[in-house]
Amino acid sequence: MTITTAEWERAVAALRGERLLIACHMDPDADTLGSALALAQAVGLAGRGTAEVVVGTVDGRPASLPRRLGALPGAEDVVDPARVAVPDTLVVVDCSGPDRLGSLAPLVDQAGQVVWIDHHRDGGARGDVLLVDPTAAATAELVAELVRRLGVPLEGSVATNLYAGLVTDTGRFGHSSTTPSAMRLGAELVAADVDVVGLTRLLFAEQRFSELTLLGAVLADARLDPRGLVWSVVDEEQLDAAGLAFGETDGLVDHLRTVSEADCALLLKRRRSGELKCSLRSINGVEVRSVAASFGGGGHDQAAGFTAHDDVEGVVERVAEAVAEAAGSRVTSTIRR
Ligand code: AMP
Ligand code: MN
Ligand code: MN
């Protein structure tokens, strides 16, 4: 952990009061929402007031939560972004930078104080208290430590929400983010009676028939570029028909990621406006964050994303070139070792 004891103590001191708002990134995933809900519940259990949870959107309209995330305990209390007042304390969770908050980004400058909790490397975290540690497997791991320091036991809804974030960001304890510390937290949460089977089914294993047929269509359209890129496209209309949100396509890109001839998987999600929201996943250890960064996006070494206004062919061409280059430098460094 790179966070000092003094910084943890400053975070604990900041978490009190009535005008406390916890903000999640746009296109929410289980780490941002689970972390926010767990922290809000812990603040309440610690007798420190009521914390509200809000999810960022581009236009300030309420996010329609993915069905799976809507089932997390407390998700029904998420507030409308158009109705939030400037808080005394703003807590930002799992955001690489203020732009990930969409219309809520101005609150970072307006709030009385800002606590920023995140695990992205080289992100644009800003605030009075920075709980940022890129070695954390999930923001949920940092929130678990904060909950302990609030004197609240890791159990009940708090434990369930933290487990949802942890199990998602570690790829069910299969990605390179799976550290001993992540495993230890997982064990602690399982010991606290988290419903592992139910949550796994909810988050990963269960899907509607419409999602199954969408997967079929995305896989049928998949292409393998000889430069080491496997890619496919999905339209907003197709996602809508399958009842999936833009932040809920991990299941699709994870299938592309199984292709052994490729170094990188790319899923291009095409909005009605023509804008492309792109998900990149590393296959053989190639670093994809800088590829996303070259498009103005970001993320983690092994999972990153960006938004593009180019056409599909243009994006694929640029990503394939970047992947070929990244794979080349990786091979070189392996040989040198
Ligand atoms: P996704 O493919 O949307 O699941 O995103 C994978 C990772 O990349 C997550 O850690 C996101 O926070 C990050 N990410 C996705 N889109 C962007 C973006 N436009 N800018 C910065 N980071 C992003
Ligand atoms: Mn996230
Ligand atoms: Mn995360």
Side-chain angles (χ1 to χ4, degrees):
M1 290 267 179
T2 54
I3 301 164
T4 63
T5 306
E7 202 68 356
W8 284 113
E9 285 169 359
R10 274 150 45 79
V12 169
L15 291 174
R16 57 175 80 249
E18 286 307 320
R19 286 151 55 86
L20 214 169
L21 184 69
I22 307 178
C24 302
H25 65 70
M26 296 190 288
D27 299 325
D29 53 31
D31 192 28
T32 193
L33 188 67
S35 294
L37 295 173
L39 185 58
Q41 288 154 1
V43 165
L45 289 166
R48 287 165 168 258
T50 309
E52 289 193 317
V53 173
V54 67
V55 177
T57 52
V58 180
D59 54 9
R61 301 230 304 267
S64 54
L65 284 186
R67 184 173 51 91
R68 294 172 173 86
L69 298 188
L72 292 180
E76 63 282 1
D77 298 329
V78 169
V79 302
D80 180 344
R83 289 172 176 235
V84 298
V86 175
D88 293 335
T89 303
L90 175 71
V91 184
V92 178
V93 286
D94 198 41
C95 291
S96 50
D99 53 319
R100 299 284 291 144
L101 291 171
S103 72
L104 298 172
L107 293 181
V108 175
D109 293 319
Q110 296 162 350
Q113 59 177 346
V114 176
V115 179
W116 197 293
I117 313 176
D118 186 41
H119 66 131
H120 290 90
R121 191 182 306 280
D122 299 335
R126 291 220 323 255
D128 305 284
V129 184
L130 302 178
L131 301 181
V132 178
D133 182 356
T135 70
T139 295
E141 195 179 348
L142 300 171
V143 171
E145 178 60 22
L146 192 50
V147 170
R148 286 190 199 101
R149 287 172 181 266
L150 285 167
V152 173
L154 295 180
E155 60 185 27
S157 298
V158 172
T160 297
N161 283 317
L162 292 175
Y163 191 85
L166 182 68
V167 74
T168 298
D169 267 30
T170 57
R172 296 161 82 171
F173 301 103
H175 292 157
S176 58
S177 52
T178 309
T179 57
S181 147
M183 285 287 209
R184 276 193 292 271
L185 175 59
E188 196 178 340
L189 298 172
V190 174
D193 270 345
V194 166
D195 177 8
V196 171
V197 175
L199 260 185
T200 300
R201 234 187 120 61
L202 170 75
L203 293 170
F204 314 104
E206 182 183 68
Q207 61 181 340
R208 287 181 301 217
F209 186 68
S210 60
E211 293 174 55
L212 187 83
T213 55
L214 174 64
L215 172 63
V218 168
L219 298 185
D221 285 345
R223 297 288 176 268
L224 179 62
D225 186 290
R227 287 166 287 189
L229 179 69
V230 58
W231 62 276
S232 192
V233 194
V234 65
D235 288 322
E236 188 167 5
E237 289 85 348
Q238 289 177 286
L239 291 172
D240 284 351
L244 285 175
F246 266 72
E248 213 181 356
T249 52
D250 276 2
L252 300 174
V253 74
D254 281 348
H255 273 89
L256 297 177
R257 196 178 202 177
T258 60
V259 174
S260 57
E261 296 96 323
D263 292 306
C264 176
L266 165 67
L267 180 67
L268 305 105
K269 297 171 270 185
R270 188 157 43 193
R271 292 199 197 269
R272 287 188 177 83
S273 62
E275 183 184 271
L276 295 171
K277 169 88 183 70
C278 302
S279 289
L280 287 169
R281 297 293 183 269
S282 166
I283 296 177
N284 293 317
V286 156
E287 194 262 294
V288 295
R289 186 170 53 95
S290 52
V291 179
S294 73
F295 285 88
H300 304 285
D301 287 355
Q302 309 290 311
F306 62 91
T307 301
H309 297 93
D310 201 352
D311 55 9
V312 168
E313 291 70 26
V315 172
V316 168
E317 186 56 32
R318 274 179 64 190
V319 171
E321 280 300 312
V323 167
E325 203 173 302
S329 61
R330 185 206 58 206
V331 169
T332 312
S333 67
T334 311
I335 292 167
R336 278 200 195 124
R337 244 192 285 131

